[in-house]
Every structure is written in structure tokens, then in C-alpha cells.
Amino acid sequence: MKGTRELIDGIAGQATLADIRLNSHVTRVVQSDGEVRVELADGDTITAPTAVIALPMNVLNSVEFEPRLSDTKRRAADERHAGAGRKSIVKVKGDIGNVSVLAPEAYAVNWVVTYAQGGPEGTWVVAFSSNPDRLPMSAFDDTAGMQEALQPLLPGVEVESIVGWDWSNDPLSLGTWCIYRPGQLAGILPDLRTTEGRLFFAGADSAIGWRSFIDGAIQSGYHTARHIDDYLNNGSR
């Protein structure tokens, strides 16, 4: 495997009956007359016997559902999970070797670890920040800010470039990896998986195993697909 991109391309290549649409913002999902109608921001509409809702927990309320989703699902989206850390892939000058450095919560970067060594061409490291507000960065291309943040962990390191995304402020995610707040594991997790009419729910946020990871998303999607297959083959059309 060459990474997530190859996995996605492999899945898409096998989905020969799928109509894959990117950058298609869903605004409304309606269940009526034995079907699900999905309305898009561009005015287009898609209909199907069932639908899989794989939205992150934090953005469930950004789509209008008719009938409305359960009180628990809507409350979960209002409360949000606590995942708000930041993961940055950073290229630094020179070969700094295989490193793994941990720092207390009060630091701007709490863990930095070597991702790939490139010899004199530079080293790629992964930098995790539990509280992005502590990062002295104005944006992901702020190499000076990241260099300042890394000094307590890697003194003298020189940052050349940064790759990353501000998932917490992206309106299509509003958070990073799912970390439940106190009480949410027992209070909301079971309902996040509960089918509502012709709507089936999947995603890493509610996975049975490896929650918050792509492994959990795959596991959840697999089980949800099996449930839909049973639903349709039992005459519920």
C-alpha cells in the first residue's frame, strides 16, 4: 500500500455502480414515500431506497433532517466531542535522526516524532499539539511559528515547510479525531449507531473498534452495508 490515497482509489475502482460526487454539499435529507431524498446546495436532488449518514458527529446538525434526528443525536452534535488537537507534518533541515520527544500539556507541541529521514535533503517529522491555541502560528504555512514551537523539544531545528489542515475550524468536520467527553461514551455512543427509518449511520466517530481511526471508519462502513443489505433483502423497499 502507498497510503490512504491508494486505498480510496482502490475502493472507488471497485464501486462500478456508484455515482461519486465530490464537493457536493448536502443541505437536507428527507424520508418520504418509501425513499430517501438528499438535497444538495447546488439545487440537485438524489433519491434512493436508503441512505448512509457518515457525517462526523460534530456536524450532524449542519444538515436538516425530516423527520428530525433523535434528541440524543442532536444533543451529541450540540455538545461535540473533545477532539480538537492538531497534527502537522513538518519538514526540517538536515538529518535529525529517529526522534520521539514528549512534552507536558502546557507546551505548544506535545509530541514530535520522525516520519521519514531524507538525509541531507531534510527530515519529515509529525508534530502533535493537544491545544492548537498555544501554537504561535498564524496559519499552516507559518514556518517561523512552528519553528518557535519546536525549539523546546528539538533545540536548533530549522523548519522548511508544513503540511496540515485546520480540521477544528473546517465547517465540514468541526473537530479532529473523536474523543468523547465525560458521560458521552455511555450517554450518546449507542444512539449514534441507531438506524432511523431508512437512514443508517456509520463513521469513525461511532465505530465499535478503532474509533477515531480510518480502521474504525472501514469497520463501521462494512457493518452498516451488511445491515442495509439485510434490510433491503427482507422486503423493506
Side-chain angles (χ1 to χ4, degrees):
M1 295 292 292
K2 296 181 180 179
T4 306
R5 169 56 62 186
E6 184 172 294
L7 173 62
I8 293 172
D9 290 343
I11 294 172
Q14 296 181 41
T16 56
L17 300 179
D19 175 16
I20 299 175
R21 304 191 185 193
L22 303 178
N23 299 315
S24 299
H25 189 177
V26 176
T27 58
R28 192 164 178 251
V29 177
V30 180
Q31 298 186 74
S32 63
D33 302 324
E35 68 177 17
V36 178
R37 186 173 74 252
V38 178
E39 300 176 4
L40 306 180
D42 63 5
D44 202 358
T45 299
I46 302 169
T47 59
T50 62
V52 179
I53 308 300
L55 293 169
M57 164 184 154
N58 287 3
V59 300
L60 275 173
N61 288 343
S62 68
V63 174
E64 179 185 353
F65 288 89
E66 186 181 324
R68 297 199 332 172
L69 295 182
S70 70
D71 289 344
T72 302
K73 286 187 176 71
R74 288 185 284 112
R75 187 181 78 247
D78 282 338
E79 291 178 356
R80 300 189 185 181
H81 61 68
R86 181 174 291 180
K87 176 182 179 180
S88 305
I89 313 297
V90 183
K91 186 179 182 184
V92 301
K93 289 185 179 180
D95 186 352
I96 65 171
N98 284 315
V99 300
S100 179
V101 185
L102 296 171
E105 183 182 359
Y107 283 60
V109 173
N110 309 104
W111 183 30
V112 58
V113 59
T114 298
Y115 178 75
Q117 290 178 259
E121 299 299 318
T123 304
W124 286 95
V125 299
V126 183
F128 289 93
S129 304
S130 62
N131 187 346
D133 291 339
R134 293 195 177 99
L135 280 168
M137 294 169 58
S138 58
F140 265 104
D141 59 356
D142 184 356
T143 56
M146 177 58 77
Q147 183 166 309
E148 178 185 341
L150 287 175
Q151 293 308 307
L153 288 79
L154 301 173
V157 73
E158 297 181 60
V159 174
E160 293 186 323
S161 60
I162 310 167
V163 179
W165 190 260
D166 188 2
W167 295 106
S168 292
N169 292 310
D170 187 322
L172 301 182
S173 59
L174 295 180
T176 54
W177 42 88
C178 178
I179 302 174
Y180 286 130
R181 302 179 189 277
Q184 289 184 332
L185 187 65
I188 66 171
L189 176 57
D191 191 77
L192 287 178
R193 304 190 191 112
T194 302
T195 301
E196 299 193 19
R198 293 175 175 269
L199 302 184
F200 294 76
F201 294 82
D205 290 358
S206 59
I208 295 173
W210 285 101
R211 190 163 44 255
S212 305
F213 292 83
I214 189 172
D215 313 67
I218 294 170
Q219 172 270 323
S220 176
Y222 171 79
H223 282 280
T224 300
R226 293 291 298 271
H227 292 159
I228 292 175
D229 187 57
D230 290 342
Y231 177 84
L232 295 176
N233 286 329
N234 286 331
S236 300
R237 294 179 180 273

